[in-house]
Amino acid sequence: MWKPHKLSPRGPVYLAIADSLASDLEAERIQPGERLPTHRALARVLGVNVVTITRAYAEAARRGLVEGHVGRGTFVRSLAEKPRVRARRGEGTGAIDLSQNQLALDPASFDGAALAKSVAARLGDALQAGYQPGGQSEHRAAGAQWMARAGLKVDAERVIVTTGGQQALAAVFATFAKAGDTVAVEELTYAGVKSLAALFRLRLHPVAIDEHGLVPESLEEACRRSNPKLLYCMPNLHNPTGVVLAAERRKRVAELAERYDLLVLEDDASGFLLEAPPPPIAAHCPERGLFVTSLSKSFSPGLRVGYLAAPAKELEKLAQTHAALIWMTPALTAGIASRVIQSGELARVVEKKRAEVRKRRALFQKILGHLATPSHPDAPCVWVTLPEPWRGEEFVAAAERAGVLVSAAETFVVSRAHTPHAARLCLGTPSSRAEVETALGRLARLLEGVPTPCRALV
Ligand SMILES: Cc1ncc(COP(=O)(O)O)c(C=O)c1O
């Protein structure tokens, strides 16, 4: 009969039992298909209440470790997954997700009924729209209006409506970089850009960052050594560190772009959270600046609408790539985006999201703040330096067993040689603050202990 190999003395007993089951399974001390003891039998052996075992088995089932069969008992599940496309990491496990850079949309923060009515009214227009690769002029104007909030003054004619920010980045990479070219990026960068670099066979040259954002001297060195075609960066609320690039440095980056004939691709996915962002780099070098924003974080990633602004002389090439990739963004979703921007609804949703981020950050400060690196007070993601002896991937695996999804530094690093023992926690993903508090509590308990030792190997 299985009984926990080792029970942690910390935290609730039911969690310790579920943790122990997970590590026993990993260490092959128990095999898939084995039947677990009855609740009563295990309670007797461990000298605990039957309710504790019931909760432990429920927790194990939630993590996908066991499954119950009525009348037959509880069985250990196979860890080998059937091949399938998962909708998202942790799907069906009930784990609290702090791994996705996302800001939950509170249904009470906007007028859903009015929006639905306007969608219905626009359906006819959308179906009659025909092919308009750059997007309808009204939709491009809405994009320009939203970009103005970030301090970028751009004519609607220079805006392409894209299917989210990622598709805009793909269009820029596909247009301006060919296999073997180098793109300069912050040394910790957005994982989606690492995927694009792999897809297009591009080299990424890491540029140093500190608490004021990317370091211009390091960018200059990158330009001298690797001759990059493009700099990709996130000046506002950098993902994953939550830092804002200092205004002075933005000017320096623009100067370097001129000197080294560099295009600057500025990704403003989360900048809407800043009440008064410094002027974008593109405002200092309009002939070299490409600017991307999207409604994924400010409103919903389900909408799949973003905007790309480009210098006049680059527009035609970009428009051709955009058309080659997807022809156009669906007119219906672009229309919804236009409506929420032009009616002021998006600005109101953003206010509420910003207030919620601040509350969640206050919670984080109380529970795990001592481990955070400096970031802007409106940053929805925090970058946590793990205490000794934890390592990033090890922490991610242990957190997942404890029912919390997070991302390790490995996800964001460009050079293997500089992988900090750190993790990103996205406080905005869960739909409720209570879930954030529960998740942070679990992580704090985990980090009070040490990682489960690996199986002895010689
Ligand atoms: C920095 C950054 N840029 C772009 C994206 C992609 O956003 P979208 O959903 O608009 O494609 C993300 C998504 O997480 C992101 O974090």
Side-chain angles (χ1 to χ4, degrees), residues 147-196:
M147 285 176 176
R149 283 176 58 98
L152 189 71
K153 291 190 182 55
V154 65
D155 290 340
E157 288 74 42
R158 288 213 281 122
V159 174
I160 296 175
V161 184
T162 64
T163 308
Q166 182 72 16
Q167 192 258 318
L169 303 181
V172 172
F173 276 41
T175 307
F176 298 110
K178 59 179 189 317
D181 281 351
T182 298
V183 176
V185 295
E186 287 128 333
E187 62 188 331
L188 294 169
T189 194
Y190 164 48
V193 152
K194 290 173 62 177
S195 307
L196 287 177

Side-chain angles (χ1 to χ4, degrees), residues 100-102 163-167 169 190 232 234 237-239 267-270 292-297 301 304-306 424:
Q100 299 212 52
N101 183 12
Q102 203 173 310
T163 308
Q166 182 72 16
Q167 192 258 318
L169 303 181
Y190 164 48
Y232 164 81
M234 295 162 277
L237 301 175
H238 171 260
N239 174 10
D267 183 347
D268 198 37
S270 299
V292 171
T293 184
S294 105
L295 266 61
S296 291
K297 324 288 171 191
R304 306 309 307 141
V305 175
R424 183 191 71 177

Side-chain angles (χ1 to χ4, degrees), residues 292-317:
V292 171
T293 184
S294 105
L295 266 61
S296 291
K297 324 288 171 191
S298 52
F299 195 59
S300 161
L303 199 57
R304 306 309 307 141
V305 175
Y307 304 100
L308 164 63
K313 68 178 190 341
E314 314 294 358
L315 259 180
E316 187 50 35
K317 273 184 275 179

Side-chain angles (χ1 to χ4, degrees), residues 7-325:
L7 275 184
S8 161
R10 286 191 195 83
V13 178
Y14 83 95
L15 278 185
I17 296 171
D19 285 346
S20 174
L21 182 65
S23 52
D24 286 353
L25 193 53
E26 226 172 70
E28 295 172 17
R29 285 189 285 266
I30 184 166
Q31 302 302 320
E34 260 182 57
R35 189 162 71 181
L36 291 180
T38 62
H39 298 196
R40 198 169 298 282
L42 189 58
R44 206 175 312 117
V45 171
L46 297 180
V48 298
N49 201 300
V50 177
V51 177
T52 304
I53 306 301
T54 306
R55 290 185 72 191
Y57 282 7
E59 173 67 16
R62 197 183 58 74
R63 296 184 201 175
L65 303 173
V66 299
E67 58 194 345
H69 293 283
V70 181
R72 287 174 47 218
T74 306
F75 293 82
V76 177
R77 283 183 59 178
S78 165
L79 289 182
E81 288 240 4
K82 286 198 208 113
R84 67 185 174 114
V85 176
R86 285 192 302 173
R88 58 179 169 78
R89 191 177 145 208
E91 183 194 359
T93 64
I96 302 175
D97 193 353
L98 303 185
S99 73
Q100 299 212 52
N101 183 12
Q102 203 173 310
L103 291 172
L105 176 64
D106 177 359
S109 69
F110 68 103
D111 187 345
L115 187 58
K117 231 167 111 188
S118 89
V119 172
R122 281 164 190 264
L123 183 59
D125 280 353
L127 297 179
Q128 295 302 325
Y131 289 102
Q132 299 190 43
Q136 295 176 26
S137 46
E138 181 207 347
H139 303 162
R140 304 168 93 173
Q145 183 182 332
W146 192 243
M147 285 176 176
R149 283 176 58 98
L152 189 71
K153 291 190 182 55
V154 65
D155 290 340
E157 288 74 42
R158 288 213 281 122
V159 174
I160 296 175
V161 184
T162 64
T163 308
Q166 182 72 16
Q167 192 258 318
L169 303 181
V172 172
F173 276 41
T175 307
F176 298 110
K178 59 179 189 317
D181 281 351
T182 298
V183 176
V185 295
E186 287 128 333
E187 62 188 331
L188 294 169
T189 194
Y190 164 48
V193 152
K194 290 173 62 177
S195 307
L196 287 177
L199 191 64
F200 293 129
R201 308 254 182 278
L202 308 173
R203 292 173 220 271
L204 294 179
H205 187 118
V207 175
I209 52 176
D210 63 19
E211 70 272 30
H212 306 294
L214 81 85
V215 178
E217 291 70 27
S218 174
L219 174 61
E220 179 151 27
E221 199 194 324
C223 291
R224 286 217 198 95
R225 281 184 34 203
S226 303
N227 190 26
K229 292 272 178 318
L230 195 68
L231 163 69
Y232 164 81
C233 59
M234 295 162 277
N236 289 337
L237 301 175
H238 171 260
N239 174 10
T241 61
V243 161
V244 173
L245 181 63
E248 265 313 302
R249 289 192 180 181
R250 294 176 189 228
K251 285 191 203 149
R252 279 284 292 139
V253 171
E255 284 162 17
L256 290 171
E258 298 290 351
R259 188 173 322 149
Y260 291 95
D261 191 19
L262 193 65
L263 284 172
V264 178
L265 170 54
E266 216 168 335
D267 183 347
D268 198 37
S270 299
F272 63 89
L273 283 168
L274 297 176
E275 278 171 307
I281 299 169
H284 301 296
C285 56
E287 293 308 309
R288 302 189 170 276
L290 298 139
F291 191 88
V292 171
T293 184
S294 105
L295 266 61
S296 291
K297 324 288 171 191
S298 52
F299 195 59
S300 161
L303 199 57
R304 306 309 307 141
V305 175
Y307 304 100
L308 164 63
K313 68 178 190 341
E314 314 294 358
L315 259 180
E316 187 50 35
K317 273 184 275 179
L318 266 174
Q320 280 177 16
T321 311
H322 180 66
L325 289 172

